[in-house]
Amino acid sequence: MALIIAGERSGVGKTTVTLTLLASLCRRDRLVQSFKVGPDYIDPMFHQHVTGRPCRNLDPVLTSEAYVQQCFAHHSQMSEYALVEGVMGLFDGISSLVTSHLSFVKNKGLMTNDKGQITDFASTAHIARLLDLPVLLVIDCSRLSGSVAAIAHGYRSFDPRMKIAGVVLNRVGSDRHLSLLKDSLEPLQLPILGVLRRQDNITIPDRHLGLVPTAELPELNALINRLADLGDTCFDWQHLLPLLKSKPLSPSASSSLSPLSPVRIAVARDRAFNFYYQDNLDLLQQLGAELVFWSPLEDAAIPKDVQGMYFGGGFPEVFAQQLAENTSVRDAVKTAILQGMPAIAECGGLMYLCEQIIDFKGKSWSMAGVLPTSAVMGGRLTLGYRRAVALQDNLLVKAGTTVYGHEFHRSHLTLNPTQPLFETSRYDSEENMGCEGWGLPANVYASYVHSHWGESREIPQQFLRECQKLASIETWI
C-alpha cells in the first residue's frame, strides 16, 4: 500500500499537503520514498530536501506504463512508507491518440497499441489505476461550504475504478467554517483525513516557471519545520499511517545493464543548472560513468580528466550575469566542445551554449558561444509533451528515431539551426510544432526538449560510447 495525493484542480495546495506529510513523517524518523506524477523537476527537489532521498518521476509519456510500475515497485520497497504527489487535477491528463509509443492499454481484456480510448492518460487518476493506489483528495475550501460535498461526491463517483481513501480540507478559515464543511460531508461517509487552516506564514515563492528551487531558498529549513509542526496536528495519523505503509511486492522484471569502459562526465549542477531526472543520472552510473558534479557559476575551471559534459535545464537567465562574468569557464567549455568533447545540453543547458542570453529586461549577457544564436527571454510560455523524430544521425540517436520529451520554457532563439535535430509534434495530436535542436558541431546535442531515458537506455549508452572514443585518444582538461 501507498498513497497518492491528488487535487481537485491545480493550485489547491497538494504540494503543501505532500510536504507537510513528508516533513511530519521524517520528523518521526520514518524512512519515506516519494514520487511525483509528471515531468516536473522542481517539486521533486522539495521532496528530496525533506526526505533526503531522490524523488522519482512517474510519467508514462516520457517512459511507459510498464516503466512507471517497475520504478514504483523497485523504489517503494526501499523504504518504510511511500507517497506519490499527483499533477494538476485528479483527472487532468492528455488525450492519448498516439499508437507508436511503448505504453499499452487494455481494451476489453485484450492488449492493443491503440490508446485512443484513454482521455486522462498520464493524469494522477491514470497513475492511481496503474499502481492500484488509494487517493487522498485535497480540496481548497477557501470559497466553499456546502458545495464541498458535491465536489467530493463527484470525484468519488466519476470513475468507479478510483479508490478515494478520504479528503484533506485545505485553507479552512475558522471553526464555524470547518463545522459547515463537516456537516456537508457527513452524509457521504467519506473520511476527513486532514484539515489545514489558512497559513499566512507558510508560503513557497514562485516565479516565471513555477516554484523557486530549493537551492535559492535560505529559509527553507525553517519553512519545513513549520510544515512538520503543522503536520503533527492536522492529520488523522491513525488512519493515514496504514495507507502510507509500503508493502512487499513481487520482484519486477528489470533488464540488467552491461557497464561500458569507465569515463568521467562533468555534470553541471548548481543554482543555474539543476533540472535532472535522477533515473538518468543513475543510468549513466550503472553504465560505468563517473559523474563529476561542478558549477559553471562558482568554479574557476572545468573538472579535470573528463571525457564528456552534461548541462541540464534550470534558470541560467536568472544567473546570467554571474555566468557571463565567469569568463574562464565559458572559454574552457567552448574550447573543449570545439575540440571534440561530447556534450548534452537540455533547455537551460542549450541557452548556456548560445552566444548570449537576453534577459527579461532586454540586457544581453555573453555565454559560451558554441551555438551561433542567442536565447531571448519573453512572456510566451512554450509548454507540452513532444514527439520528436530525428532528422539526422546525431550524438544520441540515429535518423528516424522517435524521442518523447517535454518542453517548458519562456525563451526563444534568434536564429534557428539550418540542420535541426528533430521535427516535433504534440504528443496527443498530429499538430506540427516545427523543427528544433542543434547538432553542429557533431559532438553536441542541444535541445529544448527534456527527455527521460528510462525506456530509452540506448541514449545514455550511445553518449558514453562517444565519450569513450575521446578517452581512447587522450585525457582532456
Side-chain angles (χ1 to χ4, degrees):
M1 188 69 73
L3 195 61
I4 189 164
I5 310 300
E8 29 98 4
R9 53 189 163 85
S10 292
V12 300
K14 62 181 176 293
T15 298
T16 299
V17 170
T18 300
L19 294 177
T20 303
L21 284 165
L22 293 175
S24 188
L25 283 168
C26 291
R27 174 179 280 181
R28 300 163 184 236
D29 293 325
R30 308 291 189 178
L31 191 60
V32 189
Q33 176 62 57
S34 71
F35 301 85
K36 170 64 181 176
V37 178
D40 182 44
Y41 290 100
I42 299 178
D43 285 354
M45 294 181 195
F46 283 86
H47 290 207
Q48 181 170 349
H49 185 88
V50 175
T51 67
R53 300 170 65 86
C55 174
R56 305 288 169 166
N57 289 75
L58 304 175
D59 193 316
V61 176
L62 299 185
T63 58
S64 72
E65 289 177 311
Y67 185 85
V68 167
Q69 293 172 321
Q70 293 164 9
C71 178
F72 179 81
H74 175 71
H75 292 288
S76 63
Q77 292 184 84
M78 305 291 184
S79 61
E80 186 179 2
Y81 294 95
L83 184 64
V84 182
E85 180 184 351
V87 61
M88 300 177 65
L90 177 57
F91 298 103
D92 295 330
I94 60 176
S95 176
S96 184
L97 304 176
V98 180
T99 61
S100 60
H101 196 253
L102 294 169
S103 298
F104 298 93
V105 296
K106 292 183 178 179
N107 182 14
K108 298 180 180 179
L110 301 176
M111 298 304 290
T112 172
N113 284 334
D114 180 13
K115 299 189 301 180
Q117 301 301 312
I118 293 185
T119 58
D120 64 352
F121 193 82
S123 68
T124 305
H126 179 201
I127 301 303
R129 295 193 303 264
L130 197 61
L131 302 178
D132 193 26
L133 296 181
V135 170
L136 182 60
L137 183 66
V138 180
I139 301 177
D140 179 358
C141 301
S142 58
R143 295 176 177 84
L144 292 174
S145 57
S147 297
V148 70
I151 293 172
H153 173 69
Y155 276 83
R156 183 169 67 173
S157 60
F158 181 76
D159 184 345
R161 297 170 296 177
M162 301 300 301
K163 297 179 292 186
I164 306 294
V167 297
V168 170
L169 306 181
N170 193 26
R171 299 169 184 153
V172 176
S174 64
D175 290 343
R176 173 59 177 163
H177 187 200
L178 178 59
S179 178
L180 291 172
L181 296 168
K182 286 182 174 180
D183 289 346
S184 299
L185 288 168
E186 186 175 4
L188 298 182
Q189 296 184 329
L190 185 63
I192 299 173
L193 298 181
V195 176
L196 278 69
R197 304 296 182 112
R198 290 174 184 162
Q199 304 290 328
D200 295 331
N201 66 333
I202 298 179
T203 303
I204 303 175
D206 59 7
R207 60 178 176 222
H208 57 281
L209 290 182
L211 297 179
V212 175
T214 55
E216 299 179 51
L217 300 176
E219 303 298 323
L220 181 57
N221 287 335
L223 171 64
I224 297 303
N225 285 332
R226 291 197 294 272
L227 289 175
D229 291 340
L230 178 64
D232 290 345
T233 59
C234 72
F235 293 118
D236 182 351
W237 287 106
Q238 181 180 352
H239 291 92
L240 273 176
L241 282 178
L243 294 172
L244 292 163
K245 188 85 171 178
S246 296
K247 67 178 181 180
L249 301 172
S250 300
S252 57
S254 60
S255 57
S256 59
L257 296 176
S258 299
L260 305 174
S261 299
V263 292
R264 283 165 53 90
I265 306 299
V267 181
R269 189 164 69 177
D270 55 19
R271 290 170 296 157
F273 306 100
N274 45 37
F275 288 4
Y276 296 97
Y277 293 123
Q278 184 63 41
D279 290 12
N280 286 7
L281 301 178
D282 289 349
L283 282 169
L284 288 172
Q285 290 177 314
Q286 291 166 20
L287 287 165
E290 178 187 351
L291 304 185
V292 184
F293 296 102
W294 71 290
S295 171
L297 281 173
E298 305 287 350
D299 292 343
I302 294 175
K304 293 182 179 299
D305 303 328
V306 296
Q307 293 83 39
M309 290 187 289
Y310 186 6
F311 296 92
F315 292 98
E317 68 274 16
V318 175
F319 303 97
Q321 180 175 354
Q322 190 174 346
L323 289 169
E325 291 173 350
N326 197 346
T327 55
S328 60
V329 162
R330 288 195 290 110
D331 292 344
V333 167
K334 182 175 183 179
T335 298
I337 290 177
L338 293 184
Q339 291 183 359
M341 182 176 291
I344 297 174
E346 284 188 344
C347 200
L350 176 152
M351 295 166 64
Y352 182 63
L353 296 191
C354 291
E355 292 178 342
Q356 295 177 320
I357 289 178
I358 302 172
D359 65 21
F360 286 109
K361 296 181 180 179
K363 188 170 179 58
S364 299
W365 304 98
S366 295
M367 293 292 121
V370 175
L371 308 177
T373 186
S374 296
V376 182
M377 302 306 301
R380 179 176 177 270
L381 176 63
T382 301
L383 169 67
Y385 288 111
R386 299 289 182 261
R387 185 172 67 256
V389 179
L391 297 173
Q392 56 179 305
D393 292 352
N394 59 64
L395 178 66
L396 300 186
V397 298
K398 298 293 186 182
T401 302
T402 299
V403 175
Y404 297 92
H406 188 265
E407 280 193 82
F408 190 37
H409 55 91
R410 290 190 184 274
S411 66
H412 66 274
L413 302 182
T414 56
L415 178 67
N416 291 320
T418 56
Q419 296 179 287
L421 296 182
F422 297 109
E423 181 178 19
T424 64
S425 59
R426 293 193 185 278
Y427 174 81
D428 56 350
S429 75
E430 298 302 321
E431 181 181 352
N432 189 286
M433 301 300 295
C435 296
E436 76 93 47
W438 292 77
L440 290 176
N443 53 298
V444 168
Y445 175 97
S447 171
Y448 268 124
V449 178
H450 294 282
S451 58
H452 189 297
W453 302 333
E455 282 285 10
S456 306
R457 298 182 176 191
E458 64 279 1
I459 289 178
Q461 289 174 326
Q462 174 62 22
F463 174 57
L464 295 184
R465 279 194 290 265
E466 293 300 318
C467 295
Q468 286 171 350
K469 293 179 183 177
L470 185 66
S472 67
I473 300 173
E474 60 180 307
T475 301
W476 280 74
I477 309 302

